[in-house]
Amino acid sequence: IEKSAAIMIAPAICAHNARVFMSRFEQSSFMLKNNLVFFLYEDDDIIHGAEETIKNAIVDFYHKQKPEVIFVVTSCLPEIVGEDIEAVVRQVRDVVKIPVLFIRTENFTNISSKQGMERALEALIELMDYPVQKIPHSVNIIGASAFRSFNTELFTVISKTGYSIHSVIPSHTDLNTLQKAPEASCNIILDRGALPLAEKMKEKYQM
């Protein structure tokens, strides 16, 4: 998502794994921008708590980088010790005045990373506005693998049927595009991880 940033709150090993995962996309032929940064959760944070420090770090990052939207992503350790990151996010919203979304990705409740991917996509509904208009014969393409969908048979079929691509979510988009996503006539999802978001959009926007 253009002009966005994801701040992951994690110990060094989790941050390393996430960094390696993201570098695969950054170095691929798709050349996706790596907008993931880290708040490294250390021993002192476990003992004394780090909510105020995390809040100040996010606010400082906002003032320096000026993103249009921030995703605050947790990991196992801060969730296990009981850091109230969701409360921190609420406090940050009062200061920075941009959308700040909270996403839990603790892996001890699920052995698969798919749960975190579902939550990340589902959170995007918080960025969407009620449509001023509906655009006939337009579709949103939604899914974690959506960035691979250009120059595929799916796009060819859609164009041949007279439909237009309204947005590709979450890749190849920005805050403005996400806000207008409910203007599309319907959604096409590319993987099961996109289903919770699509179901919420159907319920909220009748699409």
Side-chain angles (χ1 to χ4, degrees):
I1 299 173
E2 292 293 326
K3 297 181 180 178
S4 73
I7 300 176
M8 185 175 187
I9 302 164
I13 182 60
C14 296
H16 172 75
N17 292 337
R19 188 180 290 113
V20 169
F21 181 80
M22 286 300 299
S23 67
R24 290 169 49 201
F25 293 100
E26 196 175 25
Q27 297 169 12
S28 71
S29 59
F30 301 104
M31 298 295 289
L32 295 180
K33 182 181 178 182
N34 186 350
N35 60 354
L36 181 63
V37 297
F38 302 96
F39 177 96
L40 293 182
Y41 199 75
E42 299 179 340
D43 293 349
D44 285 347
D45 301 319
I46 297 171
I47 297 168
H48 301 294
E51 292 172 13
E52 189 67 22
T53 307
I54 292 169
K55 173 191 168 184
N56 293 337
I58 297 171
V59 171
D60 185 58
F61 175 84
Y62 164 75
H63 287 304
K64 288 180 178 178
Q65 300 297 327
K66 293 293 190 291
E68 292 183 352
V69 57
I70 294 174
F71 301 87
V72 178
V73 184
T74 63
S75 61
C76 295
L77 193 52
E79 295 282 0
I80 289 171
V81 302
E83 293 280 12
D84 193 351
I85 308 300
E86 192 168 11
V88 171
V89 168
R90 289 195 296 268
Q91 294 172 30
V92 169
R93 287 172 183 158
D94 293 336
V95 177
V96 301
K97 306 302 182 183
I98 64 166
V100 183
L101 277 58
F102 173 62
I103 302 170
R104 281 195 169 95
T105 62
E106 78 288 349
N107 226 31
F108 58 84
T109 60
N110 195 302
I111 61 173
S112 171
S113 62
K114 291 180 180 179
Q115 184 185 68
M117 295 172 69
E118 287 180 1
R119 290 173 178 173
L121 285 171
E122 191 175 4
L124 296 179
I125 199 166
E126 296 180 38
L127 303 176
M128 298 177 185
D129 295 333
Y130 280 93
V132 176
Q133 60 178 345
K134 281 287 187 179
I135 301 174
H137 307 296
S138 62
V139 300
N140 297 316
I141 308 296
I142 307 177
S145 59
F147 67 90
R148 298 190 182 99
S149 54
F150 286 105
N151 301 318
T152 63
E153 188 66 20
L154 172 63
F155 273 57
T156 302
V157 170
I158 289 173
S159 61
K160 284 184 177 179
T161 56
Y163 276 72
S164 62
I165 307 298
H166 184 61
S167 63
V168 179
I169 301 171
S171 305
H172 310 292
T173 190
D174 55 25
L175 179 58
N176 182 61
T177 305
L178 285 167
Q179 289 172 332
K180 296 180 178 180
E183 293 180 355
S185 302
C186 62
N187 293 322
I188 296 176
I189 63 172
L190 301 185
D191 48 65
R192 291 185 62 85
L195 189 57
L197 172 60
E199 288 175 338
K200 281 197 169 183
M201 292 177 71
K202 180 180 179 181
E203 178 182 353
K204 189 172 183 178
Y205 305 116
Q206 294 76 53
M207 59 185 306

Short mmCIF file of all heavy atoms in Angstrom, two decimals, residues 169-199:
data_model
loop_
_atom_site.label_atom_id
_atom_site.label_comp_id
_atom_site.label_asym_id
_atom_site.label_seq_id
_atom_site.Cartn_x
_atom_site.Cartn_y
_atom_site.Cartn_z
N ILE A 169 -6.32 -5.19 -4.22
CA ILE A 169 -6.11 -5.03 -2.78
C ILE A 169 -5.42 -6.27 -2.21
O ILE A 169 -5.84 -7.38 -2.50
CB ILE A 169 -7.47 -4.83 -2.06
CG1 ILE A 169 -8.19 -3.59 -2.61
CG2 ILE A 169 -7.29 -4.74 -0.56
CD1 ILE A 169 -9.61 -3.44 -2.11
N PRO A 170 -4.35 -6.09 -1.44
CA PRO A 170 -3.80 -4.85 -0.89
C PRO A 170 -2.70 -4.22 -1.73
O PRO A 170 -2.26 -3.12 -1.42
CB PRO A 170 -3.22 -5.31 0.45
CG PRO A 170 -2.71 -6.68 0.17
CD PRO A 170 -3.71 -7.28 -0.79
N SER A 171 -2.23 -4.91 -2.76
CA SER A 171 -1.12 -4.38 -3.55
C SER A 171 -1.62 -3.37 -4.58
O SER A 171 -2.81 -3.33 -4.90
CB SER A 171 -0.40 -5.53 -4.27
OG SER A 171 0.00 -6.52 -3.35
N HIS A 172 -0.71 -2.57 -5.09
CA HIS A 172 -1.03 -1.62 -6.16
C HIS A 172 -2.18 -0.70 -5.76
O HIS A 172 -3.09 -0.45 -6.55
CB HIS A 172 -1.37 -2.37 -7.45
CG HIS A 172 -0.37 -3.41 -7.84
ND1 HIS A 172 0.90 -3.10 -8.25
CD2 HIS A 172 -0.44 -4.76 -7.83
CE1 HIS A 172 1.57 -4.22 -8.50
NE2 HIS A 172 0.78 -5.23 -8.24
N THR A 173 -2.16 -0.24 -4.54
CA THR A 173 -3.24 0.63 -4.07
C THR A 173 -2.68 1.66 -3.10
O THR A 173 -1.51 1.63 -2.75
CB THR A 173 -4.35 -0.21 -3.40
OG1 THR A 173 -5.48 0.62 -3.16
CG2 THR A 173 -3.89 -0.81 -2.10
N ASP A 174 -3.52 2.60 -2.70
CA ASP A 174 -3.15 3.60 -1.72
C ASP A 174 -4.39 3.89 -0.87
O ASP A 174 -5.45 3.29 -1.06
CB ASP A 174 -2.60 4.87 -2.38
CG ASP A 174 -3.56 5.46 -3.42
OD1 ASP A 174 -4.78 5.22 -3.32
OD2 ASP A 174 -3.09 6.18 -4.32
N LEU A 175 -4.25 4.82 0.07
CA LEU A 175 -5.35 5.10 0.98
C LEU A 175 -6.59 5.58 0.23
O LEU A 175 -7.71 5.13 0.51
CB LEU A 175 -4.92 6.15 2.01
CG LEU A 175 -5.99 6.58 3.03
CD1 LEU A 175 -6.50 5.39 3.82
CD2 LEU A 175 -5.42 7.65 3.96
N ASN A 176 -6.41 6.44 -0.73
CA ASN A 176 -7.54 6.97 -1.49
C ASN A 176 -8.28 5.86 -2.23
O ASN A 176 -9.52 5.81 -2.25
CB ASN A 176 -7.06 8.03 -2.48
CG ASN A 176 -8.20 8.65 -3.26
OD1 ASN A 176 -9.11 9.26 -2.71
ND2 ASN A 176 -8.16 8.49 -4.58
N THR A 177 -7.53 4.95 -2.84
CA THR A 177 -8.13 3.83 -3.56
C THR A 177 -8.89 2.91 -2.61
O THR A 177 -9.99 2.45 -2.92
CB THR A 177 -7.06 3.03 -4.31
OG1 THR A 177 -6.33 3.91 -5.16
CG2 THR A 177 -7.67 1.93 -5.15
N LEU A 178 -8.32 2.64 -1.46
CA LEU A 178 -8.99 1.79 -0.47
C LEU A 178 -10.27 2.44 0.04
O LEU A 178 -11.28 1.76 0.23
CB LEU A 178 -8.05 1.50 0.70
CG LEU A 178 -6.95 0.49 0.43
CD1 LEU A 178 -5.91 0.53 1.54
CD2 LEU A 178 -7.53 -0.92 0.31
N GLN A 179 -10.24 3.74 0.24
CA GLN A 179 -11.45 4.44 0.69
C GLN A 179 -12.58 4.28 -0.31
O GLN A 179 -13.75 4.21 0.08
CB GLN A 179 -11.13 5.92 0.91
CG GLN A 179 -10.25 6.18 2.13
CD GLN A 179 -9.78 7.62 2.22
OE1 GLN A 179 -9.64 8.31 1.21
NE2 GLN A 179 -9.51 8.09 3.43
N LYS A 180 -12.24 4.20 -1.60
CA LYS A 180 -13.25 4.12 -2.65
C LYS A 180 -13.55 2.69 -3.10
O LYS A 180 -14.36 2.48 -4.00
CB LYS A 180 -12.80 4.94 -3.85
CG LYS A 180 -12.70 6.43 -3.56
CD LYS A 180 -12.25 7.21 -4.78
CE LYS A 180 -12.19 8.71 -4.49
NZ LYS A 180 -11.75 9.48 -5.68
N ALA A 181 -12.93 1.71 -2.47
CA ALA A 181 -13.12 0.31 -2.88
C ALA A 181 -14.59 -0.11 -2.89
O ALA A 181 -15.01 -0.87 -3.78
CB ALA A 181 -12.31 -0.62 -1.98
N PRO A 182 -15.43 0.33 -1.93
CA PRO A 182 -16.84 -0.09 -1.95
C PRO A 182 -17.65 0.44 -3.14
O PRO A 182 -18.81 0.06 -3.31
CB PRO A 182 -17.39 0.49 -0.63
CG PRO A 182 -16.20 0.58 0.26
CD PRO A 182 -15.10 1.01 -0.66
N GLU A 183 -17.06 1.31 -3.97
CA GLU A 183 -17.76 1.79 -5.16
C GLU A 183 -17.86 0.70 -6.22
O GLU A 183 -18.67 0.81 -7.15
CB GLU A 183 -17.04 3.01 -5.74
CG GLU A 183 -17.11 4.25 -4.86
CD GLU A 183 -16.39 5.44 -5.46
OE1 GLU A 183 -15.76 5.26 -6.53
OE2 GLU A 183 -16.46 6.53 -4.87
N ALA A 184 -17.03 -0.33 -6.14
CA ALA A 184 -17.06 -1.42 -7.13
C ALA A 184 -18.37 -2.20 -7.05
O ALA A 184 -19.03 -2.23 -6.01
CB ALA A 184 -15.87 -2.34 -6.94
N SER A 185 -18.70 -2.86 -8.13
CA SER A 185 -19.92 -3.66 -8.16
C SER A 185 -19.79 -4.95 -7.37
O SER A 185 -20.74 -5.42 -6.76
CB SER A 185 -20.29 -4.00 -9.62
OG SER A 185 -20.45 -2.83 -10.37
N CYS A 186 -18.57 -5.52 -7.39
CA CYS A 186 -18.38 -6.80 -6.71
C CYS A 186 -16.90 -7.02 -6.42
O CYS A 186 -16.04 -6.27 -6.89
CB CYS A 186 -18.93 -7.95 -7.56
SG CYS A 186 -18.12 -8.15 -9.16
N ASN A 187 -16.64 -8.05 -5.64
CA ASN A 187 -15.27 -8.44 -5.31
C ASN A 187 -14.96 -9.81 -5.90
O ASN A 187 -15.83 -10.69 -5.94
CB ASN A 187 -15.09 -8.52 -3.79
CG ASN A 187 -15.19 -7.18 -3.11
OD1 ASN A 187 -14.73 -6.16 -3.64
ND2 ASN A 187 -15.80 -7.14 -1.95
N ILE A 188 -13.73 -9.99 -6.32
CA ILE A 188 -13.20 -11.30 -6.69
C ILE A 188 -12.05 -11.59 -5.75
O ILE A 188 -11.09 -10.80 -5.67
CB ILE A 188 -12.72 -11.35 -8.15
CG1 ILE A 188 -13.88 -11.13 -9.11
CG2 ILE A 188 -12.02 -12.68 -8.44
CD1 ILE A 188 -13.47 -11.07 -10.57
N ILE A 189 -12.13 -12.68 -5.00
CA ILE A 189 -11.06 -13.00 -4.06
C ILE A 189 -10.18 -14.10 -4.64
O ILE A 189 -10.67 -15.02 -5.30
CB ILE A 189 -11.60 -13.39 -2.67
CG1 ILE A 189 -12.44 -14.66 -2.73
CG2 ILE A 189 -12.42 -12.25 -2.08
CD1 ILE A 189 -12.84 -15.16 -1.35
N LEU A 190 -8.88 -13.98 -4.36
CA LEU A 190 -7.90 -14.90 -4.94
C LEU A 190 -7.44 -15.98 -3.96
O LEU A 190 -6.78 -16.92 -4.38
CB LEU A 190 -6.69 -14.13 -5.44
CG LEU A 190 -6.96 -13.06 -6.51
CD1 LEU A 190 -5.66 -12.46 -6.99
CD2 LEU A 190 -7.74 -13.66 -7.68
N ASP A 191 -7.76 -15.81 -2.67
CA ASP A 191 -7.36 -16.83 -1.71
C ASP A 191 -8.28 -16.75 -0.50
O ASP A 191 -8.98 -15.75 -0.30
CB ASP A 191 -5.88 -16.68 -1.29
CG ASP A 191 -5.55 -15.24 -0.91
OD1 ASP A 191 -6.12 -14.75 0.09
OD2 ASP A 191 -4.74 -14.61 -1.60
N ARG A 192 -8.28 -17.80 0.31
CA ARG A 192 -9.20 -17.87 1.45
C ARG A 192 -8.91 -16.77 2.48
O ARG A 192 -9.80 -16.35 3.23
CB ARG A 192 -9.11 -19.24 2.11
CG ARG A 192 -9.68 -20.37 1.27
CD ARG A 192 -9.67 -21.69 2.04
NE ARG A 192 -10.50 -21.61 3.23
CZ ARG A 192 -11.81 -21.84 3.24
NH1 ARG A 192 -12.43 -22.14 2.11
NH2 ARG A 192 -12.49 -21.77 4.36
N GLY A 193 -7.68 -16.29 2.52
CA GLY A 193 -7.33 -15.24 3.45
C GLY A 193 -8.09 -13.95 3.23
O GLY A 193 -8.22 -13.12 4.14
N ALA A 194 -8.59 -13.77 2.01
CA ALA A 194 -9.35 -12.56 1.69
C ALA A 194 -10.84 -12.70 2.00
O ALA A 194 -11.58 -11.72 1.93
CB ALA A 194 -9.17 -12.22 0.21
N LEU A 195 -11.27 -13.91 2.35
CA LEU A 195 -12.70 -14.14 2.55
C LEU A 195 -13.30 -13.33 3.70
O LEU A 195 -14.38 -12.75 3.53
CB LEU A 195 -12.96 -15.63 2.77
CG LEU A 195 -14.42 -16.09 2.78
CD1 LEU A 195 -15.12 -15.70 1.49
CD2 LEU A 195 -14.50 -17.61 2.99
N PRO A 196 -12.65 -13.22 4.88
CA PRO A 196 -13.25 -12.40 5.95
C PRO A 196 -13.48 -10.95 5.53
O PRO A 196 -14.52 -10.36 5.87
CB PRO A 196 -12.24 -12.51 7.09
CG PRO A 196 -11.56 -13.82 6.86
CD PRO A 196 -11.45 -13.94 5.37
N LEU A 197 -12.54 -10.36 4.81
CA LEU A 197 -12.71 -8.98 4.34
C LEU A 197 -13.87 -8.90 3.36
O LEU A 197 -14.73 -8.01 3.46
CB LEU A 197 -11.44 -8.47 3.68
CG LEU A 197 -11.56 -7.10 2.98
CD1 LEU A 197 -11.98 -6.01 3.97
CD2 LEU A 197 -10.26 -6.72 2.29
N ALA A 198 -13.92 -9.83 2.41
CA ALA A 198 -15.00 -9.82 1.42
C ALA A 198 -16.37 -9.98 2.07
O ALA A 198 -17.34 -9.32 1.68
CB ALA A 198 -14.77 -10.92 0.39
N GLU A 199 -16.45 -10.84 3.09
CA GLU A 199 -17.72 -11.03 3.79
C GLU A 199 -18.15 -9.77 4.53
O GLU A 199 -19.34 -9.42 4.54
CB GLU A 199 -17.61 -12.21 4.75
CG GLU A 199 -17.54 -13.57 4.05
CD GLU A 199 -17.32 -14.72 5.00
OE1 GLU A 199 -16.80 -14.47 6.11
OE2 GLU A 199 -17.66 -15.87 4.63
#
